[in-house]
Structures are given as C-alpha cells and as structure tokens.
Amino acid sequence: MFKSVVPVLSQVPAELCLGQQNRGMATLKAISIRLKSVKNIQKITQSMKMVSAAKYSRAERDLKQARPYGVGAQQFYEKAEVAPKEEDSKKLYIAITSDRGLCGAVHTGVARYIRGELATDPNIKVICVGDKSRAILSRLYGKNIEMVANEIGRLPPTFLDAAKLCNAILNLGYEYTDGKIIYNKFKSVVSYQVADIPIFSLKSVESAEKLPVYDSLDSEVIQSYLEFSLASLLFYTMKEGACSEQSSRMTAMDNASKNAGEMIDKLTLTFNRTRQAVITRELIEIISGASALESKD
C-alpha cells in the first residue's frame, strides 16, 4: 500500500506541505480568537442581564407608586370631556424614550407610531425625550422635531425631571391645541405595548362643555392644574417607559446569552474537527516521509 502512495507523496514540494500546515494553524488561530471573543461577549451579556434584572425590580416598584399620578391626571380630561377644536388644531407629540439601546424594539415602536402619524399629518410637531427617538425620526422628519431632551435613562426618572421637562415644553413657544404622549406601557416581564395619553391646551380645556361641573375654576386655576397634570403625566409615562425598557433589556440580554452559548458550542466543535484534521495531515506527512526514506534505502 505504501509503495503505491510513496512516489506520489514524494513528488509533492515541501513548500506546499508547509503551506497547508500554516493554513491549518491559521484557521485554528482564527477559530480560537473568535471563540474567545464570543465567550467574552457572553460574559458581558450575562452581566448586563443581572444588572437589568436588579434595575427592573426597582423600576417595577417605582411604577406602582407612580401610576396614581397618571390615572388621576387622565380622569380630569375624561370627566370634563375635553376635546380640541378641529378648525385650528395644532398637534404636539411627545415621544418618551431614552438614550440607551440594547433593549429590543422599545424605542423603535414609539418612533414607528409617530412616523405613521406624521405620514398622514406632516404638520405635527414632535418633542423627543431621549436621543433614540431623535436618531430615528430625524432621518425623515427632522423639521418636525421642536426639542430634544437628552441624558434620559441613565438614572431612574424622578418627578423633578418631569417638572423640568414640563417647564421646558411650556416655555418652548409653540402654542399647541392638543397632542399626545407616546410611550411604552408595561404589561408584564415579557410584554409591553405602545400607548398614548392625550394632552390639551388651556383654550381647549376652557371650552369643554362639562367643565362647569367643577366649582370655582378660573383661568389661573386651570392653568396651574394643567401644568401640574402635564408634569404628572410625563412622570408617569417616563416610569412606564423605564420599566418596559429594563424588562426588554433583560429579555434581550438573556436571548443574546443563549445565542452566544449556541455559537460557542458550534465553534468548539469546528475547532476540534479542524485540530483533528491538522493532526491527521501531519501524521500522514510523517508516515509518508518515513516511507520515502525506507524506499530509498
């Protein structure tokens, strides 16, 4: 058997055999580097999952305390049956997102909702709370963005943050008649949905038919209440968005860790097969060289 194979192997140049060996070693090195990087990524995603889980538990507790603010502020508009006047409607949309990513489609859902509304009514003005919504909307609707609030999402939102945002919106100079706050409403650990809460101006509230149900309401009292209710709604929606973001990030990092584990298994199998192929080829070369020396003798 060796006599028929040896002449063929003896004619193969040594440089070619060395090149094959180098390519095999290069492939092993590339697989080893990639395997190490995927393992490091898995450690990072697992750490981010643990951090998000801790932040999520705190965000859920804070959300339970913040929900009465949102529910109470919405009750006034519903009981008074406030509605904007259609002839001079100027709409303002407030997108509640954050500056941080790696949390699934939380921010994309809010931006997609607003893009659908802007496609039907290009006169809508938008306020982006968080840089993610600005980055998505500015590509096609940069002229509609009136203001951007950054540094959102690094720390849990507080009522002071909502009050500052409310003050900036009221002092913006754009007199809107009605609008919406677009946010992610938290439902469960693995579920959230894009929702909206209507907001109205002073003129729209004063023209409500059932406003006289409330006694002793003059223009100054209504203005003060609208400012407080807007801050309350912003605080509530920011808490809803923060809880949805942390739960979505926790799920996304869990999926990323599982995908990294599957990739590690595949790369390990490929590495072992490639190493076995290199060892087998080296053994063949050694045996062939020994057989060639024996045939010369």
Side-chain angles (χ1 to χ4, degrees):
M1 175 179 179
F2 285 112
K3 290 182 180 180
S4 60
V5 176
V6 166
V8 179
L9 293 176
S10 61
Q11 297 174 2
V12 178
E15 293 82 0
L16 182 60
C17 294
L18 184 61
Q20 291 177 353
Q21 183 178 359
N22 290 337
R23 285 197 298 270
M25 294 302 294
T27 305
L28 280 176
K29 186 176 181 180
I31 296 175
S32 178
I33 292 173
R34 188 177 181 187
L35 184 61
K36 185 178 179 180
S37 65
V38 174
K39 287 182 179 179
N40 291 336
I41 291 173
Q42 188 185 39
K43 291 179 182 178
I44 294 172
T45 55
Q46 288 176 346
S47 301
M48 290 185 67
K49 176 189 173 183
M50 295 175 63
V51 173
S52 298
K55 290 184 177 180
Y56 160 73
S57 60
R58 178 181 176 181
E60 189 179 15
R61 291 195 304 267
D62 294 344
L63 178 59
K64 292 180 180 179
Q65 299 175 358
R67 272 180 174 161
Y69 288 90
V71 175
Q74 293 179 71
Q75 288 294 322
F76 172 75
Y77 299 120
E78 294 177 0
K79 298 295 184 182
E81 296 183 1
V82 182
K85 295 181 179 180
E86 298 294 336
E87 58 270 11
D88 55 349
S89 179
K90 292 183 179 180
K91 295 185 178 180
L92 177 68
Y93 282 13
I94 305 174
I96 303 296
T97 56
S98 73
D99 295 349
R100 306 185 66 190
L102 298 177
C103 51
V106 172
H107 309 313
T108 309
V110 174
R112 188 184 298 116
Y113 181 96
I114 295 178
R115 279 190 302 185
E117 295 290 327
L118 288 172
T120 57
D121 187 1
N123 296 322
I124 298 175
K125 298 299 181 180
V126 181
I127 293 176
C128 298
V129 181
D131 194 62
K132 288 297 180 180
S133 57
R134 181 206 59 81
I136 299 174
L137 295 173
S138 61
R139 299 170 187 171
L140 297 176
Y141 303 101
K143 296 181 179 179
N144 298 81
I145 299 177
E146 286 289 321
M147 187 183 72
V148 179
N150 293 326
E151 298 298 327
I152 304 297
R154 300 184 183 276
L155 297 174
T158 61
F159 192 84
L160 179 60
D161 298 331
K164 291 180 179 178
L165 178 60
C166 175
N167 186 48
I169 293 173
L170 294 176
N171 295 329
L172 188 60
Y174 180 72
E175 297 181 358
Y176 63 93
T177 58
D178 64 303
K180 293 180 181 179
I181 302 177
I182 316 300
Y183 68 104
N184 288 293
K185 187 174 183 180
F186 176 77
K187 297 179 68 176
S188 65
V189 184
V190 295
S191 178
Y192 60 89
Q193 66 178 4
V194 179
D196 61 84
I197 294 178
I199 56 176
F200 302 96
S201 65
L202 178 61
K203 294 181 180 179
S204 299
V205 174
E206 288 179 342
S207 61
E209 297 181 356
K210 293 190 176 181
L211 186 64
V213 174
Y214 300 91
D215 298 331
S216 302
L217 287 182
D218 55 8
S219 180
E220 185 178 353
V221 173
I222 296 175
Q223 179 65 30
S224 299
Y225 178 76
L226 288 181
E227 293 176 0
F228 176 76
S229 64
L230 180 59
S232 300
L233 290 175
L234 289 172
F235 175 65
Y236 163 67
T237 53
M238 289 170 70
K239 285 295 186 182
E240 287 274 6
C243 190
S244 301
E245 179 183 346
Q246 295 300 336
S247 65
S248 180
R249 181 176 289 111
M250 183 174 59
T251 304
M253 292 300 103
D254 183 46
N255 294 333
S257 300
K258 291 179 181 178
N259 294 337
E262 294 177 0
M263 189 175 293
I264 288 172
D265 294 339
K266 292 180 181 179
L267 288 174
T268 304
L269 182 60
T270 304
F271 179 83
N272 292 336
R273 287 179 176 176
T274 306
R275 183 177 60 180
Q276 188 65 37
V278 171
I279 294 172
T280 305
R281 185 168 60 247
E282 291 178 350
L283 288 175
I284 292 175
E285 292 173 356
I286 294 171
I287 295 172
S288 301
S291 300
L293 292 175
E294 289 177 1
S295 62
K296 288 181 180 180
D297 296 338

